Amino acid sequence: NPEARSAEQRQRILKSLYKEKEQNSRRYLGYQLTVREDYTELLDYLNIDTSYLGDPFIIGDSNLNTKIVEQKLLEYYAQLWNAKVNPNYDFKDEEAYWGYVLSMGSTEGNMYALYNARDYLEGNPLIMDSSVHKNSELKEPVIFYSQETHYSIIKCCSVLKLKTMQHLGNELYPEECPFSEKWPAAIPSDEDGSIDVKSLTMAADFFSKRGHPVIVNFNLGTTFKGGFDQVPKASESVLEVLHKNNMFQVSLGGSYRNGYWFHIDGALGAGYLPYLEKGAGYGMYCLPKEFPHFDFRKDCIQSIVASGHKWTGAPWPCGIYMTKNKYRLLPPSNPTYTGSLDSTFSGSRNGASPLVMWDFHSKYSEEDKARMAANCVQMAESLYEKLYKVEEQLGYSIHVRHSPMSLAVRFLRPNKEIMEKYSLCQDYEKVNGKWEEFTHVYCMRHVTSEILEEL
């Protein structure tokens, strides 16, 4: 329509669309999203463009930015993930955390983490060491990830030209895979969605023995199963073979760097696992023996990402990227226009995302958030048990499955009407050696027991 619509027309269109989406949100069960959270206190900010540029700890020239809020939010996540906090945000404190609020979600964070991993391992300049360090004997890095890994990691590897074990194996070491007849694209996963530690260790041993630094992507809350990699066990096993093969640290022209980069893709899990741990302290939840401690308490962890639109329920994609000062790359350019160091992956960034994430964390206590996490996991466990009883009523198996601490409950794909009504997605899992269509229900914070009973 070449003419502007009247206020009445626009309101009618918007109200009709909102009514449909609001109704759908009450039965939204198929994805890792919390789709109902109250952010009405922030509506005034929609009338101001708070977009900004540059490093969150350098205010820059734009006075519309929300970097003060971003700094406080990052400090909160640093404490949540047990990183060292320097109260003065001193870049020279190599062990202190650094991070920023993502504008895309965890895909952006994964891309930036793997970009940093590649260039760090190749000896490119860092903020804390601006010299170029090379070792002609050091071979190109190889990345490992499990078959349950989010598709964004595969996309990131393609963009960054990072070689997987399949690429490097077929190119340099055909028919030498230590755990399979052929080089697979990904490390096998166990049934619960966690990476197979034995296969990962064998692959790391094989490549590090031949001079390849290793990058490992660990998952916290896999896309379909909601499973967790056993980060403590897996990282310790990989580090053991790196030590054995003299690849724990590598010489780069007189300087030494780690011969590895361990990244945590915690899009969902890094958002709620810390609260399960806190919930155990409040007596709300009993942690399993092999709880996947994933954060900066382990010195080998170099980067973590979490989404803001999944567990916290931001109304658009966003998230947190975090690392340590000593791993930060020197930016490839230093534009004066930004009034700040160009140290983030994106140029312009969304100033509203720090506000909505801050709003969530400021209006709930730590005990509140621990209770939310415990309730959601317990709701998933309860649904798992109830669906087992449904199997008895049906007289046949729908193969109900649930991974420890996961918010997802999986079962055979129901009819099209149910799939559409509850926005359920589908994937494939093996049943008695045969691939079958499965779906899942995610017990996110907006999900109620009434909706699950209706399902």
Side-chain angles (χ1 to χ4, degrees):
N1 188 348
E3 303 297 326
R5 293 186 183 272
S6 68
E8 182 181 346
Q9 287 175 320
R10 288 188 292 110
Q11 283 299 309
R12 186 169 64 248
I13 292 169
L14 290 172
K15 285 182 178 179
S16 174
L17 181 62
Y18 177 78
K19 182 179 179 181
E20 176 190 336
K21 301 308 172 189
E22 196 277 336
Q23 289 175 345
N24 289 345
S25 73
R26 295 180 181 276
R27 300 188 302 271
Y28 196 85
L29 300 179
Y31 292 86
Q32 297 180 348
L33 296 173
T34 297
V35 297
R36 296 179 65 83
E37 181 63 57
D38 185 4
Y39 291 112
T40 53
E41 291 181 342
L42 301 176
L43 285 177
D44 288 345
Y45 285 93
L46 292 180
N47 297 319
I48 303 173
D49 185 351
T50 55
S51 302
Y52 56 90
L53 302 161
D55 194 285
F57 300 104
I58 303 173
I59 296 299
D61 299 326
S62 171
N63 61 10
L64 286 179
N65 67 65
T66 58
K67 288 186 178 182
I68 295 296
V69 178
E70 183 176 22
Q71 290 170 11
K72 295 302 180 184
L73 180 67
L74 291 168
E75 183 175 325
Y76 173 80
Y77 272 93
Q79 294 169 342
L80 187 69
W81 292 339
N82 293 285
K84 180 183 178 183
V85 175
N86 185 305
N88 299 316
Y89 307 117
D90 183 1
F91 291 173
K92 296 179 181 179
D93 186 347
E94 64 176 21
E95 293 296 332
Y97 85 91
W98 179 88
Y100 74 100
V101 174
L102 306 165
S103 291
M104 282 174 56
S106 286
T107 295
E108 177 188 341
N110 288 334
M111 180 76 77
Y112 198 54
L114 297 185
Y115 163 60
N116 277 261
R118 182 196 67 184
D119 282 23
Y120 172 87
L121 294 172
E122 290 180 350
N124 289 321
L126 306 177
I127 284 179
M128 303 199 70
D129 180 6
S130 58
S131 300
V132 178
H133 299 285
K134 297 294 181 181
N135 181 344
S136 58
E137 296 180 2
L138 198 64
K139 298 180 180 178
E140 63 183 313
V142 58
I143 183 169
F144 305 120
Y145 51 81
S146 82
Q147 65 188 41
E148 298 291 335
T149 291
H150 190 260
Y151 60 85
S152 68
I153 295 294
I154 301 166
K155 184 190 303 182
C156 293
C157 290
S158 177
V159 171
L160 296 169
K161 306 300 182 187
L162 271 175
K163 296 287 184 70
T164 66
M165 63 176 176
Q166 186 177 63
H167 291 133
L168 276 181
N170 288 336
E171 180 183 325
L172 301 176
Y173 316 108
E175 300 181 5
E176 293 185 48
C177 181
F179 60 86
S180 179
E181 290 185 8
K182 295 183 178 180
W183 286 105
I187 301 291
S189 295
D190 294 333
E191 187 176 317
D192 64 0
S194 63
I195 196 166
D196 181 69
V197 175
K198 182 178 179 181
S199 297
L200 171 64
T201 305
M202 293 173 70
D205 186 26
F206 180 92
F207 282 98
S208 63
K209 189 182 297 181
R210 289 158 177 78
H212 295 276
V214 304
I215 302 168
V216 183
N217 176 80
F218 290 116
N219 298 312
L220 287 181
T222 57
T223 308
F224 196 74
K225 297 179 180 179
F228 300 95
D229 290 338
Q230 285 298 330
V231 178
K233 180 180 177 182
S235 61
E236 289 165 12
S237 186
V238 172
L239 291 177
E240 186 177 327
V241 298
L242 293 179
H243 275 291
K244 182 190 73 173
N245 297 328
N246 296 316
M247 288 293 290
F248 178 73
Q249 283 201 320
V250 295
S251 175
L252 292 168
S255 176
Y256 284 87
R257 292 188 186 177
N258 294 337
Y260 63 91
W261 186 287
F262 292 167
H263 171 61
I264 304 293
D265 179 3
L268 175 62
Y272 79 87
L273 272 188
Y275 299 113
L276 274 189
E277 195 171 353
K278 292 187 179 193
Y282 291 118
M284 300 172 182
Y285 188 76
C286 182
L287 293 181
K289 184 178 180 180
E290 291 190 340
F291 184 78
H293 296 287
F294 67 90
D295 59 28
F296 293 109
R297 282 172 288 190
K298 296 190 67 63
D299 190 54
C300 61
I301 300 304
Q302 284 137 301
S303 54
I304 302 174
V305 299
S307 294
H309 55 294
K310 293 191 174 182
W311 177 250
T312 56
W316 47 70
C318 58
I320 301 288
Y321 171 83
M322 192 161 288
T323 185
K324 295 180 181 179
N325 279 326
K326 64 182 179 181
Y327 298 125
R328 296 178 60 202
L329 295 178
L330 186 69
S333 64
N334 187 23
T336 56
Y337 172 79
T338 63
S340 168
L341 196 65
D342 182 28
S343 56
T344 61
F345 184 75
S346 52
S348 296
R349 292 196 290 121
N350 176 358
S353 293
L355 288 170
V356 296
M357 293 187 71
W358 175 87
D359 185 65
F360 171 81
H361 286 294
S362 64
K363 69 186 175 186
Y364 297 116
S365 70
E366 295 304 283
E367 187 173 349
D368 291 335
K369 287 177 271 191
R371 185 175 294 107
M372 291 173 187
N375 286 347
C376 286
V377 174
Q378 289 160 358
M379 189 184 302
E381 292 169 348
S382 175
L383 177 61
Y384 174 66
E385 293 171 1
K386 289 178 179 178
L387 288 176
Y388 253 120
K389 295 180 180 178
V390 169
E391 286 186 326
E392 295 175 1
Q393 297 171 1
L394 292 172
Y396 59 87
S397 177
I398 58 173
H399 297 285
V400 186
R401 297 172 177 179
H402 176 251
S403 301
M405 295 174 294
S406 173
L407 304 182
V409 179
R410 300 120 56 204
F411 47 93
L412 288 179
R413 183 184 183 277
N415 62 50
K416 182 179 179 182
E417 181 182 352
I418 292 175
M419 295 288 287
E420 291 179 352
K421 182 177 181 180
Y422 296 99
S423 295
L424 301 181
C425 64
Q426 71 178 52
D427 204 343
Y428 292 88
E429 293 194 30
K430 279 191 174 181
V431 176
N432 299 323
K434 180 182 177 183
W435 290 105
E436 299 284 358
E437 289 184 341
F438 273 68
T439 190
H440 62 198
V441 166
Y442 259 98
C443 296
M444 302 298 291
R445 290 193 300 107
H446 67 277
V447 175
T448 64
S449 56
E450 288 78 15
I451 291 296
L452 296 181
E453 288 292 338
E454 178 186 294
L455 173 70

